[in-house]
Every structure is written in structure tokens, then in C-alpha cells.
Amino acid sequence: MKYISLFILLLTQQLSAQLLVSPIDAMKENFDRNATITKKNILLTHDKFKTIQKNAGVKLTTKIYRVYIAKKNGKILGYGVLVNRKVRSKNAVTLYFFKDSVLQGIEVIAFNETLEYLPPKRWTQQFENRKTDKVLKLNREITNISGATMSAKSLTDGSRIAFAIYNMLYKDK
């Protein structure tokens, strides 16, 4: 019962930011408008939590994540890993799209900071077509944003968490 209450609390926190686009719509837009999208809530075991945290090189704040799966005609088209990170003092929720061990791109689903800190689409395109075995770092593979450094760091760190979750649970399956 304790885990169920914690799970519900954390999911409501993930959705507390200002919703910009529905995760289902973002998945359909990225993979196929006619795809069937299912969502799976994942509660990481202690060992998986530690492994993902180590592989991501980022401190995790929760053991609960949501993964979306796009299917059409029984075939998996891709995955979406939803990651909730603080930017300054408020949450940003980002969906990271994966297909065949490649990050296809990202979509900011909800953003509760001032919208002027929301990275532009041109900047988020840097995440497109990145292999999941590569660790993305700000100011190396991903250029920074002047005036929105904390947003850039949050999204880049989130990508490493999403990579680690995808690689552990879905890569080569």
C-alpha cells in the first residue's frame, strides 16, 4: 500500500507542470498518427535504480517512470520515456523518443517555469538521431542556451536518464 500511495503521489507531481502537449499526441506525431499508444508505469528495483543512476551519471530523484510504446499492426514502432526534472525550482517533463537504439528526438510535454526559459525547437533538434550508447553532455555534444542554461542542463541530464532506462529495459528487445 505504501508503494501505491507513493506511486500516485509521484505521478501527480509529474503532471503538475503546465501541459504543452499530450504525451499520446506527441508519440503519434513522432511515430505514426494511426499507431496504438500504450503506457507502462515502471517502478525500478533498488538494483535497477542504482544501475541506471550510475549509467546516466545523474542523480535520480524517483524510482517511478512512465514509458509509452507505439505499435501498429502488432509491430513496435518505438518507445517514449517520460522524464521529470527540476529546471530552477519547478518541473519540466520531457518525452524522449527511441527507435532501434537511436534517440529520434525530444518533446517538452510540460513546463512550469517561465516560458522564456523553454528551449526553442531549433535547440531541441540537437537531440535528434543520437545513438543511445553515447552519453550526451552539455557544452560538448549539446550546445548551451544563453539565458536558459538550467533548462538546457535539465533536458540534457534527462536524456541520459532516458538513455539508461531505454538501454536497460528495451534495447535489443
Side-chain angles (χ1 to χ4, degrees):
M1 186 65 182
K2 179 172 100 174
Y3 287 111
I4 293 172
S5 298
L6 178 64
F7 182 73
I8 291 170
L9 175 67
L10 290 173
L11 281 180
T12 56
Q13 285 181 343
Q14 282 188 339
L15 300 176
S16 66
Q18 179 182 346
L19 188 66
L20 301 175
V21 63
S22 140
I24 302 289
D25 290 342
M27 287 291 291
K28 287 184 177 240
E29 183 69 31
N30 194 69
F31 291 108
D32 187 321
R33 280 262 165 231
N34 298 316
T36 301
I37 310 298
T38 56
K39 63 182 171 182
K40 182 175 182 181
N41 296 317
I42 297 170
L43 177 60
L44 300 174
T45 64
H46 179 73
D47 290 339
K48 286 184 179 178
F49 177 87
K50 289 289 185 191
T51 301
I52 287 172
Q53 186 167 263
K54 180 183 176 213
N55 292 344
V58 175
K59 184 177 179 191
L60 301 182
T61 58
T62 182
K63 288 185 175 183
I64 301 169
Y65 290 90
R66 182 172 288 169
V67 175
Y68 292 87
I69 304 165
K71 289 184 181 179
K72 187 172 180 183
N73 300 325
K75 182 179 183 247
I76 293 177
L77 302 176
Y79 300 90
V81 178
L82 198 65
V83 178
N84 180 21
R85 302 280 300 163
K86 286 232 186 268
V87 173
R88 295 171 65 85
S89 62
K90 297 178 182 163
N91 293 342
V93 181
T94 308
L95 189 59
Y96 298 84
F97 305 107
F98 296 95
K99 180 179 180 180
D100 301 327
S101 300
V102 174
L103 177 64
Q104 301 291 306
I106 69 172
E107 183 75 40
V108 178
I109 300 298
F111 196 78
N112 218 21
E113 290 288 348
T114 306
L115 290 180
E116 68 188 38
Y117 296 131
L118 181 66
K121 190 73 172 167
R122 188 178 79 246
W123 183 84
T124 62
Q125 289 172 337
Q126 296 179 83
F127 291 90
E128 294 176 2
N129 301 312
R130 300 288 188 147
K131 292 188 183 238
T132 61
D133 58 359
K134 179 73 174 162
V135 176
L136 300 179
K137 294 201 176 186
L138 192 61
N139 293 323
R140 289 188 187 160
E141 295 80 15
I142 303 296
T143 59
N144 205 348
I145 305 172
S146 179
T149 301
M150 291 181 178
S151 299
K153 181 171 177 18
S154 176
L155 295 181
T156 305
D157 287 352
S159 76
R160 296 201 316 262
I161 294 168
F163 278 24
I165 291 169
Y166 173 81
N167 287 336
M168 176 178 275
L169 302 175
Y170 298 104
K171 186 176 181 177
D172 302 326
K173 303 233 175 185

